[in-house]
Amino acid sequence: MKAVQKNKVLETCLIAGRIMIESGSEMYRVEDLMNRIAYNAGVQRSVVFTTPTGLFIGIENQPYAQLGVISVRTINLEKVENVNTASRQFANKEISLDQLMARLKHIDHDTIHFPIWMQIVAAAIISALLMIIFSGEYDWLDILPAAVVGALGYAVFITVNRLTSIRFIGEFLSAMVIGLAAYLLTGWHLGVNIDNIIIGAVMPLVPGVAITNSIRDLLAGHLLSGMARGMEATLSAFAIGTGIALVFRFFM
């Protein structure tokens, strides 16, 4: 295999791995995917190292290596599924390496996101339903207030994250808005139980996928990635809790 072809294989693996990490995939799945792409492209022994902020791939005993940087981490399982599908098609010889790279670039830039209004509506539904589940009460009077507060909090979360790149400030400010809105609604007798409303409204902000992936990475032996993602999820939860606590401290 020529040097140009080897570098193209490594570049393709990096694109696939970067998309997977940025979209919320587990690290062991990312490493397995990259190794499989390299093997199916003719590289028998590849070396892959991944972290939440960067990834490395090289060819064992050969002077070929490439490094990628991860600057954004979110949850987009559609991208994860599309990358896995493209990788399986390449393994089955349905597409070539050049077609795989083109497909990955298309997935990276042209995957359609749900519109913001739909995300806010989904947050309202989740808040209303999970309020009943986590509160342990059939509190039908607070379903609508929980939906409204949850939608408002998630709208603030999206807006803040679009305006600033500071991590965890979105969770903090949206949690404060949720606490204040729940306090006002119960004060105006539009809600009954402020605790139940807040419990439901913060659910769309809880980093559940990050916590799950952290545990799965730890169980798979990826201690560095597991601890890093666990700390990130912990700080997100701390920001949410701090925002709610400040409202309780000054208004309750």
Side-chain angles (χ1 to χ4, degrees):
M1 184 183 295
K2 296 181 179 180
V4 175
Q5 184 71 6
K6 291 179 180 179
N7 285 323
K8 182 180 293 186
V9 171
L10 298 183
E11 182 182 357
T12 304
C13 293
L14 278 183
I15 295 174
R18 178 179 56 79
I19 295 173
M20 294 282 283
I21 295 176
E22 289 180 349
S23 302
S25 177
E26 306 92 329
M27 291 301 173
Y28 71 87
R29 192 185 303 275
V30 174
E31 292 188 2
D32 180 69
L33 176 80
M34 295 174 68
N35 282 320
R36 287 180 181 274
I37 292 176
Y39 181 81
N40 292 322
V43 176
Q44 299 297 318
R45 300 181 66 85
S46 58
V47 179
V48 177
F49 180 74
T50 59
T51 70
T53 56
L55 66 165
F56 165 91
I57 184 170
I59 301 177
E60 189 173 322
N61 299 323
Q62 295 189 34
Y64 298 97
Q66 292 191 23
L67 177 68
V69 178
I70 309 299
S71 57
V72 177
R73 290 182 301 279
T74 183
I75 304 298
N76 193 328
L77 299 183
E78 183 178 1
K79 283 189 176 183
V80 174
E81 173 60 25
N82 290 340
V83 171
N84 282 324
T85 300
S87 174
R88 286 192 292 269
Q89 290 175 341
F90 178 65
N92 295 331
K93 310 300 182 183
E94 298 175 11
I95 58 176
S96 65
L97 182 64
D98 291 332
Q99 291 174 322
L100 174 61
M101 179 180 288
R103 183 79 60 83
L104 291 174
K105 291 180 179 179
H106 175 75
I107 293 171
D108 189 22
H109 298 291
D110 298 327
T111 299
I112 298 176
H113 294 268
F114 289 107
I116 293 178
W117 69 266
M118 188 177 295
Q119 297 180 42
I120 294 174
V121 171
I125 296 173
I126 290 172
S127 300
L129 297 181
L130 292 184
M131 182 271 293
I132 296 177
I133 294 175
F134 285 99
S135 66
E137 303 176 8
Y138 292 102
D139 189 2
W140 305 110
L141 296 177
D142 286 327
I143 286 182
L144 184 58
V148 172
V149 174
L152 178 62
Y154 198 76
V156 172
F157 174 73
I158 293 176
T159 302
V160 172
N161 285 340
R162 288 166 63 94
L163 295 177
T164 180
S165 59
I166 301 176
R167 297 299 308 275
F168 313 117
I169 190 68
E171 290 91 336
F172 173 73
L173 292 178
S174 57
M176 286 190 63
V177 170
I178 287 172
L180 184 59
Y183 170 76
L184 293 176
L185 287 180
T186 52
W188 295 337
H189 303 289
L190 298 176
V192 178
N193 192 318
I194 186 173
D195 295 334
N196 290 352
I197 295 174
I198 291 176
I199 288 173
V202 299
M203 285 299 113
L205 306 178
V206 173
V209 176
I211 295 172
T212 302
N213 287 347
S214 170
I215 295 174
R216 295 185 68 174
D217 282 337
L218 288 173
L219 294 177
H222 294 263
L223 302 182
L224 179 62
S225 300
M227 289 188 293
R229 283 188 164 178
M231 180 57 66
E232 187 176 29
T234 300
L235 291 175
S236 294
F238 178 78
I240 296 171
T242 302
I244 298 296
L246 287 178
V247 174
F248 274 64
R249 172 65 179 80
F250 293 105
F251 293 94
M252 299 295 289

